[in-house]
Amino acid sequence: MIKSKLLSTTITLQLPPNTPKTRLAEQTCLTLLQSYCNTFPKLTQIHAFILKNGLQNNPLVLTKFASSSSNINAIHYASSFLFPSHQTTPPSSYDAFLFNTVIRAYAQTQTHDSKSKALEFYRTMLRYGVSPNKFTFPFVLKACAGVASLRLGKLVHGSVVKFAFEDDLHVVNTMIHMYCCCEGEEGVQFAEKVFDESSKSDLVTWSAMIGGFVRLGRSARAVGLFREMQVMGVFPDEITMVSVLSACADLGALELGKWLESYIERKNIPKSVELCNALIDMFAKCGDVDKATKLFGQMESRTIVSWTSVIAGFAMHGRGLEAVSLFDEMVENGITPDDVAFIGVLSACSHSGLVDKGRTYFKSMERNFNIVPKIEHYGCMVDLFCRGGFVKEAFEFVQKMPFEPNQIIWRTVITACHATGELKLGESISKELIKNEPMHESNYVLLSNIYAKLRQWEKKTKVREIMDMRGMKKVPGSTMIEVNNEMHEFVAGDKSHDQYKEIYEMVDEMGREIKRAGYVPTTSQVLLDIDDEDKEDALYRHSEKLAIAFALLNTPPGTSIRLVKNLRVCEDCHSATKFISQVYNREIVVRDRNRFHHFKNGLCSCRDFW
DNA sequence: ATAGGGTTAG
């Protein structure tokens, strides 16, 4: 406080009236700021220039200085001169423009704390009695979105109403975005309320709402909104399409994705790099990684995201060698991989059993690229060892790594224990996990699976009882399939479908046919203490088999079948699907919680470890 | 001077 008081007195003494000399310095400085932006040495030079010419408290110069840079120190420096903490009334020259600039500068920064600063300056602005103008709220709301607090969002919303900017489209659109960024289900509800009640809307309004749903994982709703938008005669642009494609990727709806691509062509929607990346990601996640690769090849300019999307795409499909060679090609092309690219290539190695390659890449991160591995990278390595069959090594790796292992990592290890028969180790880790996080239902499921494999039915039943007692339910497995541009969703034992009778008949027929080809039901996975015949029935009711039966009934012979599951494929469905692909001569592409399985001629691309 | 967008371990 004292220090800044002294500082400001000194400056007041230094500041002469508008002599030609200071005017010249001011002009020079503004020109400098106009031409150089945001590079560190230049910023330091300009800073020195400001000090040398006594421009420290020239609002014009400081405003420009703060706004020309995303460098947080420049912004702090400028704002501390513009708004010394002891100052209670602002100089008369301080107007909304000046406040807006500082608020914008802080709103554009990356960290949560400095975004809060933007809101602090908005409060200062009000305290000083300076009225916000139509530019103020988009900046303030942007900061609010970064802070992601619903409470603050509502406060600013109140302010928007108070200053009568609720009809301004820029404000409405940013407000929707802001509410969508607030954590929790409640935020979207407010966003929808603004969306529904706004007197005006344009394509940005729709895009903000669609993008909000996508970010919250409500992809089906996002696609629904896109259809509504078209009914309303509002034309999407490339930004809207990026969000819709991302929703489509999430749903795994290939037909819709292809339609979106042709729509983009038909309507001449400009193919920005982001749009191409979204297309690549969509095709990869909808099961057509070849198409993704083709699009990648046709791009005129690519970013690291383009490369990473294809690499991650190959990884998901178990095409590790292609992922690895694309990664190497990227590096040869002079593109420096980032941490996300490494996640892609490491997971490619793990899904394809390239243990040594994976080790080499992991070591090269720090050594060659100066990237400190994050917990995700360690997670990839654990998975790499587990899938490679080295569960013990994975366990040791977990204990040595410089992070506290998280749930994801432990679950990777337990799953591997289950798959490789290290059941005692799996049991003890699961128990430990349940002790630490008693309300995470998937930990119980893992333990219960292990007891089932050990055929310890009493213990398994007890785990179930504890789950019931604590009010937890297993997430029901579901399988989705797109037929004639419509998504059909099945859950185990589902009888809600119009064709359910035919579907169940088909399931029985499938069972008979594949048994003749050598299929043996894997009843040990069924988590019920019942006799084997009933267990077999339970297996036949799995959502995946229902969806395949539905597909065999409703798609032409010889065409491929694409399924999207919310969980991992169970052992029995995996085995059955291999036989079905052979007996019915169908390629069956299944998207799992984690990866793709391409079933063809009785074999699966995952090489039976998933 | 203002708004909406792409890749991320299991």
Side-chain angles (χ1 to χ4, degrees):
Chain A
M1 181 68 128
I2 294 164
K3 195 180 168 194
S4 63
K5 209 171 219 167
L6 282 174
L7 219 52
S8 112
T9 325
T10 329
I11 292 154
T12 321
L13 290 175
Q14 265 183 2
L15 197 74
N18 272 342
T19 60
K21 203 183 161 195
T22 46
R23 289 292 281 279
L24 185 68
E26 182 188 294
Q27 280 311 310
T28 316
C29 195
L30 290 175
T31 317
L32 278 174
L33 284 164
Q34 196 74 49
S35 52
Y36 304 135
C37 271
N38 216 6
T39 54
F40 215 110
K42 307 272 168 158
L43 211 60
T44 323
Q45 283 166 20
I46 296 172
H47 187 180
F49 186 90
I50 289 173
L51 293 174
K52 197 175 136 204
N53 293 282
L55 294 165
Q56 293 95 320
N57 111 17
N58 180 319
L60 251 181
V61 168
L62 289 179
T63 310
K64 198 82 190 159
F65 184 64
S67 67
S68 68
S69 161
S70 62
N71 182 285
I72 192 70
N73 293 326
I75 301 166
H76 284 325
Y77 171 81
S79 64
S80 73
F81 276 102
L82 289 165
F83 309 103
S85 52
H86 64 279
Q87 189 175 282
T88 47
T89 47
S92 57
S93 62
Y94 282 22
D95 57 2
F97 192 118
L98 183 134
F99 278 98
N100 289 353
T101 317
V102 176
I103 293 169
R104 180 179 62 164
Y106 275 113
Q108 280 169 346
T109 57
Q110 293 305 310
T111 69
H112 185 277
D113 278 0
S114 58
K115 283 179 182 177
S116 296
K117 278 270 189 197
L119 298 174
E120 207 177 283
F121 281 107
Y122 174 61
R123 281 193 289 270
T124 311
M125 177 179 189
L126 296 182
R127 204 175 58 239
Y128 282 176
V130 178
S131 291
N133 64 17
K134 65 171 180 169
F135 297 109
T136 312
F137 285 109
F139 297 144
V140 174
L141 288 162
K142 187 175 182 175
C144 241
V147 173
S149 147
L150 188 59
R151 192 185 57 84
L152 285 175
K154 285 192 209 165
L155 277 173
V156 176
H157 188 167
S159 205
V160 166
V161 174
K162 187 180 158 201
F163 289 99
F165 284 108
E166 73 224 280
D167 284 334
D168 185 297
L169 257 180
H170 287 271
V171 174
V172 170
N173 297 341
T174 325
M175 197 138 68
I176 291 170
H177 179 244
M178 178 278 291
Y179 273 132
C180 288
C181 290
C182 292
E183 72 293 316
E185 179 61 23
E186 228 190 323
V188 217
Q189 285 169 10
F190 278 94
E192 272 192 281
K193 200 160 157 9
V194 175
F195 180 79
D196 291 338
E197 290 172 2
S198 166
S199 61
K200 296 175 190 161
S201 71
D202 64 359
L203 89 152
V204 181
T205 321
W206 288 89
S207 290
M209 201 63 237
I210 291 171
F213 279 123
V214 176
R215 241 175 300 121
L216 288 150
R218 291 177 50 184
S219 301
R221 182 83 180 87
V223 172
L225 210 58
F226 173 67
R227 296 208 162 112
E228 244 178 82
M229 174 183 179
Q230 289 184 298
V231 172
M232 300 295 283
V234 182
F235 283 98
D237 66 2
E238 73 273 23
I239 297 180
T240 322
M241 294 315 288
V242 167
S243 290
V244 181
L245 283 167
S246 161
C248 181
D250 186 42
L251 294 170
L254 185 62
E255 295 304 317
L256 173 64
K258 283 181 184 164
W259 185 88
L260 290 170
E261 189 201 17
S262 74
Y263 182 87
I264 290 164
E265 296 293 341
R266 269 199 326 273
K267 301 288 175 188
N268 275 322
I269 294 176
K271 289 215 207 165
S272 63
V273 180
E274 289 89 343
L275 182 59
C276 290
N277 294 344
L279 276 168
I280 289 172
D281 180 52
M282 180 278 291
F283 276 114
K285 287 189 180 147
C286 290
D288 195 346
V289 71
D290 289 319
K291 175 76 188 186
T293 316
K294 198 175 156 210
L295 283 177
F296 175 77
Q298 291 165 346
M299 281 175 83
E300 283 164 23
S301 64
R302 307 178 179 104
T303 64
I304 180 85
V305 178
S306 327
W307 292 85
T308 306
S309 301
V310 183
I311 293 167
F314 280 136
M316 279 184 274
H317 289 270
R319 289 165 60 168
L321 290 174
E322 286 156 288
V324 163
S325 71
L326 192 65
F327 184 90
D328 292 344
E329 192 187 325
M330 177 180 85
V331 176
E332 279 159 26
N333 273 268
I335 295 169
T336 312
D338 60 8
D339 54 334
V340 185
F342 270 107
I343 291 174
V345 78
L346 289 175
S347 83
C349 291
S350 103
H351 284 286
S352 300
L354 307 171
V355 180
D356 288 334
K357 269 260 177 235
R359 269 206 194 94
T360 312
Y361 281 122
F362 184 75
K363 281 185 204 144
S364 79
M365 288 181 68
E366 272 199 271
R367 193 182 296 164
N368 303 348
F369 301 100
N370 206 13
I371 300 170
V372 180
K374 295 185 184 170
I375 192 153
E376 290 91 333
H377 301 102
Y378 283 91
C380 287
M381 292 309 285
V382 174
D383 192 49
L384 180 82
F385 296 136
C386 284
R387 285 181 201 273
F390 311 111
V391 183
K392 290 257 161 68
E393 189 173 356
F395 187 61
E396 285 161 21
F397 187 83
V398 169
Q399 289 170 320
K400 277 193 303 198
M401 66 185 201
F403 287 97
E404 203 50 50
N406 59 19
Q407 297 273 314
I408 298 174
I409 287 181
W410 282 131
R411 265 177 285 192
T412 304
V413 179
I414 299 167
T415 306
C417 289
H418 185 266
T420 59
E422 299 272 356
L423 299 173
K424 284 290 152 199
L425 182 60
E427 181 190 2
S428 68
I429 303 173
S430 311
K431 281 183 171 170
E432 198 58 33
L433 270 186
I434 289 172
K435 219 194 302 176
N436 293 333
E437 253 187 285
M439 289 317 281
H440 212 302
E441 106 287 325
S442 66
N443 297 333
Y444 295 84
V445 176
L446 288 170
L447 183 58
S448 145
N449 284 350
I450 284 172
Y451 286 139
K453 198 154 188 174
L454 286 164
R455 306 192 78 84
Q456 298 183 351
W457 305 113
E458 338 68 52
K459 287 193 176 171
K460 193 214 71 71
T461 309
K462 205 171 163 212
V463 173
R464 265 300 147 83
E465 280 168 7
I466 295 172
M467 280 184 81
D468 288 344
M469 218 163 63
R470 298 185 180 167
M472 281 172 290
K473 273 190 194 152
K474 183 179 180 291
V475 177
S478 80
T479 304
M480 294 204 294
I481 179 167
E482 193 184 31
V483 172
N484 297 327
N485 297 313
E486 217 182 307
M487 289 303 263
H488 299 257
E489 187 175 7
F490 294 89
V491 294
D494 203 339
K495 290 192 175 169
S496 62
H497 200 278
D498 294 345
Q499 280 181 291
Y500 89 88
K501 280 194 177 138
E502 290 166 80
I503 292 170
Y504 281 84
E505 280 165 23
M506 190 66 202
V507 168
D508 285 338
E509 189 196 307
M510 270 167 27
R512 285 193 299 273
E513 292 292 327
I514 59 179
K515 267 189 184 168
R516 204 178 307 160
Y519 158 77
V520 180
T522 320
T523 47
S524 72
Q525 279 280 294
V526 180
L527 305 176
L528 299 168
D529 187 11
I530 50 178
D531 66 46
D532 278 359
E533 203 170 308
D534 286 345
K535 279 185 182 175
E536 217 176 298
D537 271 354
L539 289 173
Y540 287 168
R541 294 149 62 89
H542 279 182
S543 66
E544 185 173 329
K545 297 194 183 79
L546 300 180
I548 293 176
F550 172 77
L552 289 174
L553 288 167
N554 293 286
T555 57
T559 54
S560 55
I561 298 171
R562 289 163 193 281
L563 307 177
V564 180
K565 295 181 60 74
N566 66 336
L567 303 174
R568 289 189 338 139
V569 190
C570 86
E571 215 170 309
D572 183 68
C573 282
H574 195 269
S575 154
T577 309
K578 285 200 284 187
F579 282 100
I580 295 167
S581 74
Q582 188 178 30
V583 171
Y584 290 88
N585 190 27
R586 295 277 199 135
E587 187 185 355
I588 303 174
V589 182
V590 179
R591 192 177 87 179
D592 199 277
R593 179 94 230 152
N594 303 337
R595 59 165 295 154
F596 277 91
H597 300 261
H598 291 257
F599 297 93
K600 204 176 176 181
N601 301 326
L603 295 172
C604 179
S605 62
C606 79
R607 306 168 308 131
D608 299 342
F609 198 130
W610 67 99

